[in-house]
Every structure is written in C-alpha cells, then in structure tokens.
Amino acid sequence: MPGNEKIGVSTAPDPDPAPYLFVTFEMKRNDMNKPYDPKRSYWVPDGEGGFLEGLLDSENGGKVVVSIKHDKKTFKKEQIQQVNPPKFEKCEDMSNLTYLNEASVLHNLRSRYQAK
C-alpha cells in the first residue's frame, strides 16, 4: 500500500501527541479569567487571513466601529463574528461552541496547539 513506508526517515517511533491533545485544568482555569463581554466581544478580520479580537464600540446601519487594543477600526457588519465565552477556550469538541464560526474555530485550534 503506498504511503505506509518511511523512506529516508529514521525508524524512531513517532512523538507522543498527548501534550497537544489534552488540556489541563490549570490551563482552563487561566482562560476563565479572560475579560469577556457577551454583547461587545467580536472577531474582526486582520487583513492577513486571520482574525483579531476586539470590542464593539458603536453600530450605525451596516457599519460597526470596533476597538482593537488601542485602535478603532470600521468594518461592515457582515465581517465581524461573535466571540465564545471563556469557558469554551481550548474546547475539545468544537460542535459545543456557542458561536460556531470561522474565527472561533481558527482561534480554538491555534490556542490548543500553542498551549503546550
């Protein structure tokens, strides 16, 4: 069967993936302390294919003003996506997320695999 042979690679066993798959209680407790406002926390596009977390300042028709760190930026309302509550940080089953959107899925994957 093609692909089952490791050619040119050491015969050492593959590294254990467990540190990347399991989230400790300590990590979850630290994530719970993250500031969160359910009506104002949103993901906004960063222009490089990713998303940044910001707080909604104002909404005027189809435009919204979002504070990202110390900058205020204007976006179309369709471009922003809601942030999940901190209890869903590093969630193992993403179907449990309150807001299942592209930004939340990318953030969850990035935070889980960078948590080690």
Side-chain angles (χ1 to χ4, degrees), residues 60-87:
N60 186 8
K63 301 273 185 181
V64 293
V65 177
V66 179
S67 294
I68 305 167
K69 297 182 182 174
H70 298 291
D71 297 332
K72 292 189 181 205
K73 295 187 178 182
T74 304
F75 296 94
K76 292 180 183 176
K77 190 172 182 178
E78 299 83 36
Q79 290 180 301
I80 63 173
Q81 302 173 19
Q82 286 192 288
V83 174
N84 285 292
K87 72 177 185 175

Side-chain angles (χ1 to χ4, degrees), residues 21-59:
L21 298 175
F22 302 111
V23 179
T24 65
F25 180 72
E26 179 81 17
M27 288 180 195
K28 283 211 169 261
R29 189 175 50 189
N30 290 340
D31 291 334
M32 294 279 190
N33 295 330
K34 176 181 133 181
Y36 172 74
D37 185 349
K39 297 187 188 253
R40 295 183 57 218
S41 295
Y42 284 90
W43 294 113
V44 296
D46 67 356
E48 298 175 5
F51 296 89
L52 299 171
E53 188 173 350
L55 290 175
L56 182 68
D57 280 340
S58 64
E59 185 175 344

